[in-house]
Amino acid sequence: MKPRRVDYLTDLAYGAIIFVSVLLIIVVRNEIGIAFGLGVLVSYAIHVAWKMARFDPEWMSQEVAENVEETLSEDIDEVIDRLEAVNERVDRRPRTDEIQDAVDDIAEGDEPLDDIDGRPTAGAAAED
């Protein structure tokens, strides 16, 4: 049987016994229900102490480290994807020297360029 399942069933059994003690207080005399309830609570405290004694702090540290590493790697991947998208948008924009060359061409009376790759603008084609 799996340890987590055993722990769950044990906790469920303690809850049921505490519920029975409350029923005993309501139905039967108070002394019987209170005595039964105190016995259940003491045994539950012993059970919790036993659970905590077998707790492995190194396991918890490893789990936290793995979760942090996984979360950080996902966040870093997301940031890298965003950065690459921004770089692509920046790369599509004309550089300053290309803009200056296009402005100089227009100022000299050459055919204005629509794009940096040398295609004429719609207005320049209509003027021909």
Side-chain angles (χ1 to χ4, degrees):
M1 208 177 225
K2 295 181 180 179
R4 286 187 179 181
R5 186 174 292 170
V6 171
D7 286 343
Y8 170 76
L9 292 174
T10 304
D11 291 340
L12 188 65
Y14 276 114
I17 293 173
I18 290 172
F19 181 71
V20 168
S21 72
V22 171
L23 287 178
L24 284 175
I25 292 172
I26 293 172
V27 175
V28 190
R29 297 187 337 219
N30 284 343
E31 295 84 20
I32 295 173
I34 291 173
F36 186 73
L38 287 175
V40 169
L41 289 176
V42 168
S43 67
Y44 186 70
I46 292 170
H47 169 72
V48 168
W50 168 75
K51 270 184 166 180
M52 297 317 279
R54 67 186 185 95
F55 177 72
D56 183 12
E58 182 62 32
W59 169 82
M60 183 59 113
S61 299
Q62 289 173 350
E63 286 293 317
V64 169
E66 288 174 7
N67 287 341
V68 167
E69 182 179 321
E70 181 179 320
T71 303
L72 282 178
S73 68
E74 290 172 0
D75 290 347
I76 288 172
D77 290 341
E78 183 179 328
V79 168
I80 288 173
D81 290 342
R82 287 183 181 176
L83 183 60
E84 288 173 353
V86 168
N87 283 340
E88 287 176 14
R89 286 192 305 241
V90 168
D91 288 343
R92 284 185 281 172
R93 292 184 179 173
R95 293 188 311 263
T96 306
D97 58 339
E98 293 173 337
I99 293 172
Q100 187 61 42
D101 290 343
V103 169
D104 289 344
D105 288 345
I106 292 171
E108 293 174 359
D110 290 344
E111 216 175 79
L113 301 177
D114 180 37
D115 204 347
I116 301 305
D117 62 3
R119 292 181 293 169
T121 61
E127 292 174 4
D128 287 337

